[in-house]
């Protein structure tokens, strides 16, 4: 079976897919999630994210993608030193935070791989140099998990992204050639593989648009 354009992209090493997704991809839209004050802000963020998801994925996502970051912790002593000096943290707190982050990343990776058919695109472009002065040597793999006949726990995945406990998950539709990524409680980006698909969903998503980027989105629609 021939792959859709977006399925081909997420399996391609030449598709970096790094934040900010809206500015790094030509056929992308940006929506606002959190509106209002106090507890209502998070409630609205979850509600709007779910509504946007339902517009793009009426039958659920075909796949999810996320990054698995690999760091050489034998070369990151400088990072601890900088954190201690800048944030006045206790070294045990810094170490514990790093261990917890690694454990959580591995747990999510193993859970997804155990549950779903998956594919890894290895050694992708990173945000900084390979040998970053702050964090040491780093690598990035993109993990693609396919739904097949199993549903993802969309509610939990969206909730975790909104509340800052997520794994930078992108929801993928092969039919609609798009990726939805909730970057945090403030908003989400939708990246389309083609301008035609972006135009198809433009007016459906327009009520959710982030006002700051409306002019840029109009340019993309009419270009």
């Amino acid at each position: 079976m021939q792959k859709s354009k977006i399925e081909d992209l997420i399996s391609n090493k030449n598709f970096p897919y790094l934040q900010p997704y809206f500015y790094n991809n030509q056929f992308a839209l940006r929506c606002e999630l959190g509106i209002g004050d106090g507890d209502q802000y998070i409630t609205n963020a979850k509600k709007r994210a779910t509504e946007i998801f339902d517009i793009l994925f009426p039958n659920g996502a075909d796949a999810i993608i996320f990054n698995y970051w690999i760091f050489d912790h034998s070369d990151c002593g400088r990072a601890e030193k900088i954190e201690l000096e800048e944030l006045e943290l206790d070294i045990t707190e810094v170490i514990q935070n790093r261990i917890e982050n690694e454990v959580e990343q591995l747990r999510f990776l193993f859970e997804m791989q155990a549950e779903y058919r998956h594919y890894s695109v290895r050694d992708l472009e990173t945000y900084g140099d390979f040998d970053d002065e702050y964090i040491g040597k780093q690598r990035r793999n993109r993990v693609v998990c396919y739904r097949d006949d199993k549903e993802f726990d969309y509610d939990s995945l969206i909730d975790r992204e909104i509340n800052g406990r997520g794994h930078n998950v992108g929801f993928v539709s092969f039919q609609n050639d798009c990726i939805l990524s909730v970057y945090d409680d403030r908003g989400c980006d939708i990246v389309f593989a083609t301008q035609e698909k972006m135009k198809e969903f433009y007016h459906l998503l327009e009520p959710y648009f982030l006002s700051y980027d409306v002019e840029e989105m109009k340019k993309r629609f009419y270009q």
Side-chain angles (χ1 to χ4, degrees):
M1 180 181 290
Q2 185 176 2
K3 290 183 178 180
S4 68
K5 188 163 185 180
I6 202 70
E7 185 177 4
D8 183 62
L9 283 175
I10 62 175
S11 304
N12 193 321
K13 189 173 181 177
N14 294 322
F15 181 55
Y17 203 68
L18 285 167
Q19 290 190 18
Y21 309 118
F22 176 72
Y23 296 110
N24 286 335
N25 294 276
Q26 183 180 6
F27 309 126
L29 302 173
R30 172 162 281 191
C31 296
E32 185 175 20
L33 296 180
I35 56 175
D37 300 311
D39 294 339
Q40 198 62 34
Y41 178 87
I42 293 296
T43 300
N44 285 333
K46 179 68 178 295
K47 178 177 180 292
R48 288 166 66 88
T50 302
E51 290 170 353
I52 291 167
F53 180 92
D54 290 340
I55 290 171
L56 295 165
F57 308 98
N59 300 313
D62 296 299
I64 64 168
I65 59 174
F66 60 92
N67 291 318
Y68 175 61
W69 292 89
I70 306 164
F71 300 100
D72 183 355
H73 289 291
S74 66
D75 190 36
C76 67
R78 289 166 294 182
E80 273 85 14
K81 187 173 186 297
I82 292 170
E83 281 195 56
L84 288 171
E85 292 174 350
E86 292 184 352
L87 304 177
E88 299 181 357
L89 297 173
D90 184 272
I91 185 63
T92 56
E93 184 178 347
V94 173
I95 292 171
Q96 187 60 34
N97 286 340
R98 287 176 181 256
I99 291 172
E100 289 174 0
N101 288 338
E102 285 292 309
V103 169
E104 180 57 30
Q105 183 181 213
L106 277 170
R107 178 181 290 112
F108 185 75
L109 174 70
F110 292 155
E111 286 176 352
M112 292 297 104
Q113 288 180 328
E115 185 70 17
Y116 301 99
R117 180 172 63 92
H118 56 276
Y119 174 76
S120 294
V121 189
R122 301 179 183 279
D123 296 323
L124 294 166
E125 176 184 335
T126 61
Y127 288 108
D129 295 330
F130 170 73
D131 190 4
D132 189 274
E133 182 178 354
Y134 180 70
I135 59 176
K137 292 182 174 63
Q138 58 176 320
R139 289 169 50 211
R140 176 173 72 102
N141 296 339
R142 178 187 305 127
V143 181
V144 183
C145 292
Y146 300 91
R147 182 182 68 180
D148 295 332
D149 58 348
K150 301 179 181 179
E151 288 287 356
F152 298 107
D153 187 351
Y154 304 114
D155 189 72
S156 175
L157 289 169
I158 291 172
D159 185 75
R160 289 176 66 86
E161 297 296 329
I162 286 173
N163 287 283
R165 297 179 289 106
H167 297 272
N168 196 22
V169 167
F171 301 98
V172 186
S173 170
F174 300 155
Q175 179 180 357
N176 293 327
D177 264 339
C178 70
I179 306 170
L180 166 66
S181 291
V182 176
Y183 51 82
D184 56 31
D185 57 355
R186 295 170 299 167
C188 62
D189 291 338
I190 303 100
V191 173
F192 294 91
T194 66
Q195 187 183 38
E196 290 71 25
K197 278 295 181 182
M198 181 190 71
K199 287 185 172 183
E200 180 181 333
F201 285 92
Y202 184 94
H203 294 298
L204 292 172
L205 296 170
E206 196 168 10
Y208 303 93
F209 282 177
L210 179 65
S211 58
Y212 180 84
D213 289 306
V214 164
E215 290 306 314
E216 175 59 29
M217 286 186 275
K218 285 182 179 176
K219 289 178 185 177
R220 296 180 183 193
F221 183 82
Y222 290 108
Q223 68 183 5

